[in-house]
Amino acid sequence: MRNIPVNLTGFKLRVVEEPAIKTDMEGRVLTAYGSDDPLYVVGVFAKPVATEDGHRGKGEELKVTLSVNPQGIEEGDLVELIG
């Protein structure tokens, strides 16, 4: 799996799908490279922050894979992705 840098400056991220352990098509748990730690996937909706004139662009739903358990995150929470 590749890490792809993404600049989310100017976007608000809201959880739309609570974190779940990531599995493959056969239901096997996917793990972080070189470890037995499971990967987690969370769905977020990225919506641009309003400009000075009040315009907001279209948003986009993203599936984000995390290598740590994002405990305490629930649907509807505003989040920030770091690193």
Side-chain angles (χ1 to χ4, degrees):
M1 181 179 338
R2 295 184 338 192
N3 288 326
I4 301 172
V6 177
N7 183 355
L8 293 171
T9 303
F11 285 85
K12 286 186 179 180
L13 302 175
R14 185 172 302 274
V15 175
V16 293
E17 191 175 308
E18 292 186 15
I21 292 179
K22 189 170 185 172
T23 58
D24 65 12
M25 298 295 274
E26 285 81 39
R28 293 181 297 233
V29 174
L30 298 176
T31 58
Y33 181 75
S35 78
D36 291 330
D37 299 333
L39 293 173
Y40 296 85
V41 65
V42 61
V44 296
F45 190 80
K47 181 78 173 173
V49 176
T51 60
E52 290 179 15
D53 63 0
H55 175 73
R56 292 185 136 219
K58 290 186 175 182
E60 183 82 26
E61 185 175 343
L62 308 169
K63 298 281 186 173
V64 180
T65 300
L66 306 170
S67 59
V68 295
N69 185 353
Q71 296 177 357
I73 294 177
E74 297 178 359
E75 187 173 333
D77 288 349
L78 286 173
V79 295
E80 179 181 5
L81 299 176
I82 300 172

